[in-house]
Amino acid sequence: MEQNEVKVRIEDMNAFQNFIYSGDMYLLYAVLIFMVIDILTGWAKALKKGNLWSTKSVYGAGRKVMALFVVIISNIIDNILNLNGALVIVIMFYYIATEGLSILENLAEMNVPFPEQIKDKLEVLKNKEDNK
């Protein structure tokens, strides 16, 4: 009986890796960790500004869920087109970069010290976003 249980778990893991996400698990972990850090720094920023339960935080959480759906869809497309993980890797690095940038923006808005070059780049990006 116990062997069947282990076999089902291994088969479930194979199904997960083949259908949902077949890329490098460390990239998935990195994206998830960056998402959690972004959420936490976003909450800290909102607490500092006094608007913790804003619709912006709900919208941001929804965007993160949608990003995970994009990862799943890119994995499926990657498998269909037999790209050997190339599409998934590009998508994962994109999300790592955007989450990292969001974390830096949150920290900058909380007046965490940064090198001036990074502050200048963040200010330029913020101005471009505000003009949209």
Side-chain angles (χ1 to χ4, degrees):
M1 281 286 177
E2 289 181 31
Q3 288 178 337
N4 290 338
E5 291 177 17
V6 171
K7 186 176 180 181
V8 169
R9 289 183 185 151
I10 291 171
E11 288 173 0
D12 289 344
M13 187 61 176
N14 286 338
F16 172 78
Q17 286 189 329
N18 288 331
F19 187 70
I20 303 296
Y21 181 74
S22 59
D24 185 359
M25 291 303 289
Y26 289 114
L27 285 176
L28 181 61
Y29 298 149
V31 168
L32 294 173
I33 289 168
F34 273 53
M35 284 182 172
V36 168
I37 293 171
D38 184 38
I39 290 169
L40 294 175
T41 57
W43 285 348
K45 178 181 76 172
L47 272 174
K48 184 176 180 182
K49 290 184 173 186
N51 62 349
L52 179 60
W53 301 113
S54 68
T55 56
K56 189 174 182 181
S57 65
V58 174
Y59 176 71
R63 285 182 45 211
K64 292 186 187 328
V65 170
M66 292 298 126
L68 294 175
F69 286 141
V70 170
V71 169
I72 293 169
I73 291 167
S74 68
N75 183 70
I76 293 168
I77 293 169
D78 202 319
N79 286 329
I80 290 170
L81 298 177
N82 200 21
L83 298 174
N84 297 323
L87 180 62
V88 172
I89 288 172
V90 169
I91 297 292
M92 298 304 278
F93 278 115
Y94 169 77
Y95 284 121
I96 289 169
T98 56
E99 293 297 327
L101 183 60
S102 179
I103 292 166
L104 288 176
E105 288 173 345
N106 290 339
L107 294 174
E109 288 187 36
M110 291 187 298
N111 297 321
V112 173
F114 281 101
E116 287 302 316
Q117 295 86 353
I118 294 176
K119 282 184 181 180
D120 293 342
K121 300 294 183 206
L122 289 174
E123 192 63 36
V124 168
L125 290 173
K126 185 177 179 182
N127 289 337
K128 283 184 179 180
E129 185 178 298
D130 290 341
N131 290 334
K132 286 184 179 178

